[in-house]
Amino acid sequence: MRRALQAVFFAALVRPFLTLFIGLRVRGREHLPAADPFVLIANHTSHLDTVALLSLFPLRRLGRIRPVAAADYFLAGKARAWVSRTLFNILPVARRKVTRANNPLAVMRAALAVGESLILFPEGTRGQNGEPGRFLPGVAHLAEACPEVPIVPAYLVNLGRSLPKGTVLPVPFFAEVRLGPPLHPTGTRDEILAALEAAVSELRDAE
Amino acid sequence: MTVPPLTPVLTMSAVVLGLLVVSTLVVWLLRWLRPEGRWDELADRVKAWWVMAAVFLGAVAVHPAVSLVVFALMSFWALKEYVTLLRTRPQDHATLFWAFAAVPAQYWLVHIKWYGVFIIFIPVYVFLLLPVTLVVARETKGFVASASQIHWGLMAFVFGLSHLGYLLQLPALPGRTADGRALVLFVVFVVEMSDVLQYVWGKLVGRHKVLPTVSPNKTWEGLVGGVLSAALLAWPLRFLTPFAPLQTVLVALGVCVAGFLGGAVMSAVKRDFGVKDFGALIPGHGGMLDRVDSLCWSVPLFFHYVYWACY
């Protein structure tokens, strides 16, 4: 039932909104893996980021794609929790009071292990001024723990202007999703982190 | 409500169809005669004209409400292309939202034919209210730039272009079949033909640049040849207008010059933004703004001349 609602939501509202209102363009669509699981990483400036990235997939795949989202924010309040779980199929992770049981890394590994793909914003939160922030180390831990899972870098242009942090009404700006080739980074965690940051910034600078 | 007779629309559709067929044949002929030439851009442009002509003629033919929705989408898309290239500040968010909200409001005024408000809504009310929404955002650095840039876009692409809608709403004059729809087809056809013919003349015999720093592709030969030939094309189309024969040609001359100036202004805007095209909506043409720039200038002038002279 939940997945059917999500499919209807994306077909009837999200896609027309992104096509007609925003005018979203996608570059490098061929880099999207045809099979799950994979990890899609991107810079983060807007709630529209998750919406735009999910819209790249066929409706029937949506059930297996989990945006990793902060439980303290997205599950706060009944309405927001319902929207997050039903319409966006989030994978809630703890940002505070992390214990062995709710360790985000374990939660994400478990999802990948059952064949679900992740959408992950390694900055951990939405940036304010459009410049991508530094990645938190979690993504490097994940890459190290699951070396067989491809990591697809993405850079999102202008969505942060359409719906920046702290606003509720979207303004139409042409926006773009730029996707890069899948990566299997190796080395130390610092090297992995640097490689992933570099892959995303490279897409930012690709004009 | 009775829908006016289709005759002028059908006649113009036939004319446009004929031109498109001829242009397509010319492109094939060029490809066949000189296969080494680079005809891809030309072919793209002609193909895009097929689509644009079909959409526009369809929008005008079906129903006035459909035409207004299509014109409103043209304004919306053009404003979006402009705003995307602006250096906006985060504090402009709410103001931009209201600027976009002015698009449906303006076309709704056209729809209900409330001329008195249609003509002052953006120049007076929106002009006064937009800076107030910026004051509410409480950031003074860049205030004047934001207030002026945003309103400038509204004037050009929403207020200016919405005259096309009000033109459409004009009734047929007593004793004539040609109504507002015929006037819309007249002005759009003449201005777009002027754009095309300026390009053709410029490519064929263009030598002396008109505006080397603003728009290096525009030449005197293209300008004079294009505007004059488009004005002559208007002569057989006077059945679409309430004008006398000579008057038709003079009006066409005026709107073609205005269209050229509109294109030149938008070239300067593109230079300022450091881009070649406003977008990638129409293959070979660029964005919506690259196609409607000349209309934003010529249509308001044409409308006010017709309104003053005939209504």
Side-chain angles (χ1 to χ4, degrees):
Chain A
M1 184 60 194
R2 280 194 159 169
R3 298 289 63 84
L5 270 175
Q6 187 190 19
V8 169
F9 173 67
F10 270 79
L13 290 173
V14 169
R15 294 209 172 149
F17 169 83
L18 289 175
T19 312
L20 298 175
F21 188 78
I22 299 286
L24 186 74
R25 284 207 305 177
V26 184
R27 277 165 57 176
R29 195 186 276 275
E30 68 278 8
H31 297 311
L32 277 186
D36 301 298
F38 59 88
V39 178
L40 183 56
I41 60 167
N43 61 318
H44 199 18
T45 53
S46 169
H47 282 323
L48 292 178
D49 296 346
T50 311
V51 182
L53 290 174
L54 281 172
S55 80
L56 302 176
F57 298 96
L59 296 177
R60 65 192 147 70
R61 281 184 75 181
L62 285 180
R64 267 168 296 141
I65 295 168
R66 314 286 307 269
V68 178
D72 60 274
Y73 179 88
F74 286 95
L75 298 184
K78 270 199 177 139
R80 193 186 287 176
W82 184 86
V83 168
S84 303
R85 285 193 192 279
T86 310
L87 301 181
F88 294 101
N89 194 19
I90 64 161
L91 182 71
V93 293
R95 276 197 293 200
R96 305 184 194 124
K97 295 184 190 151
V98 174
T99 63
R100 199 176 286 268
N102 68 3
N103 184 327
L105 191 61
V107 174
M108 291 191 276
R109 285 183 68 176
L112 291 174
V114 296
E116 291 181 326
S117 294
L118 304 178
I119 292 177
L120 186 63
F121 299 107
E123 294 162 52
T125 188
R126 287 171 293 165
Q128 291 277 30
N129 52 7
E131 281 299 297
R134 301 307 305 268
F135 287 1
L136 298 178
V139 66
H141 286 264
L142 188 66
E144 196 181 44
C146 311
E148 71 292 349
V149 175
I151 301 184
V152 182
Y155 186 77
L156 304 164
V157 189
N158 267 352
L159 288 168
R161 293 171 83 191
S162 280
L163 192 69
K165 206 171 184 167
T167 62
V168 285
L169 297 170
V171 168
F173 287 94
F174 283 95
E176 194 168 271
V177 179
R178 296 177 189 161
L179 297 159
L183 305 166
H184 291 275
T186 52
T188 66
R189 279 178 204 155
D190 283 346
E191 285 165 3
I192 293 176
L193 203 59
L196 295 177
E197 275 185 350
V200 173
S201 336
E202 215 170 273
L203 293 169
R204 174 195 61 200
D205 302 332
E207 192 49 69
Chain B
M1 190 179 124
T2 54
V3 176
L6 263 179
T7 329
V9 179
L10 277 181
T11 316
M12 278 313 285
S13 303
V15 170
V16 171
L17 183 69
L19 277 173
L20 286 171
V21 169
V22 170
S23 330
T24 307
L25 289 176
V26 166
V27 172
W28 286 353
L29 203 64
L30 284 170
R31 279 220 158 119
W32 181 63
L33 288 176
R34 300 202 14 218
E36 74 283 3
R38 280 176 294 159
W39 307 112
D40 286 351
E41 199 202 334
L42 189 66
D44 276 350
R45 283 186 179 226
V46 172
K47 241 185 251 168
W49 273 118
W50 276 96
V51 178
M52 289 190 285
V55 169
F56 193 82
L57 287 166
V60 171
V62 176
H63 191 275
V66 176
S67 325
L68 291 186
V69 168
V70 171
F71 296 169
L73 286 174
M74 285 162 61
S75 279
F76 170 76
W77 213 260
L79 186 65
K80 186 162 66 155
E81 286 174 350
Y82 170 75
V83 161
T84 299
L85 292 171
L86 279 186
R87 300 160 196 103
T88 57
R89 311 169 302 160
Q91 293 82 7
D92 297 339
H93 191 80
T95 307
L96 288 166
F97 179 83
W98 293 115
F100 277 100
V103 178
Q106 173 73 1
Y107 280 89
W108 179 74
L109 291 167
V110 175
H111 175 66
I112 63 169
K113 301 186 194 172
W114 192 359
Y115 184 78
V117 180
F118 155 77
I119 208 69
I120 61 168
F121 174 62
I122 288 173
V124 178
Y125 291 108
V126 174
F127 173 73
L128 296 177
L129 282 172
L130 271 189
V132 176
T133 64
L134 282 173
V135 167
V136 173
R138 283 181 291 192
E139 172 61 62
T140 49
K141 198 164 171 17
F143 182 94
V144 176
S146 286
S148 9
Q149 295 177 135
I150 297 171
H151 194 256
W152 193 88
L154 279 177
M155 284 299 287
F157 316 128
V158 184
F159 182 67
L161 213 53
S162 70
H163 282 75
L164 204 57
Y166 218 96
L167 192 63
L168 185 100
Q169 300 277 47
L170 292 179
L173 287 167
R176 290 189 171 263
T177 50
D179 58 354
R181 289 197 290 183
L183 288 168
V184 165
L185 293 176
F186 176 80
V187 67
V188 171
F189 182 80
V190 169
V191 171
E192 295 300 324
M193 282 311 291
S194 161
D195 280 2
V196 171
L197 290 167
Q198 283 177 45
Y199 174 82
V200 172
W201 279 101
K203 284 268 170 198
L204 291 178
V205 293
R207 294 286 177 276
H208 306 89
K209 297 188 188 314
V210 192
L211 302 160
T213 55
V214 175
S215 190
N217 289 331
K218 290 189 164 64
T219 59
W220 278 108
E221 292 82 355
L223 168 60
V224 174
V227 167
L228 284 180
S229 45
L232 287 180
L233 271 181
W235 173 270
L237 299 179
R238 58 188 186 280
F239 71 94
L240 294 169
T241 72
F243 305 144
L246 183 63
Q247 190 188 14
T248 312
V249 175
L250 290 177
V251 169
L253 215 53
V255 293
C256 292
V257 171
F260 170 80
L261 296 176
V265 168
M266 295 319 295
S267 293
V269 171
K270 280 186 276 193
R271 289 257 141 169
D272 188 14
F273 288 154
V275 295
K276 195 181 150 287
D277 289 325
F278 278 105
L281 177 70
I282 316 167
H285 293 255
M288 175 66 77
L289 262 183
D290 296 294
R291 200 58 271 141
V292 301
D293 50 4
S294 39
L295 291 175
C296 293
W297 262 248
S298 49
V299 170
L301 290 172
F302 179 75
F303 173 85
H304 287 294
Y305 175 74
V306 174
Y307 201 71
W308 169 77
C310 311
Y311 282 85

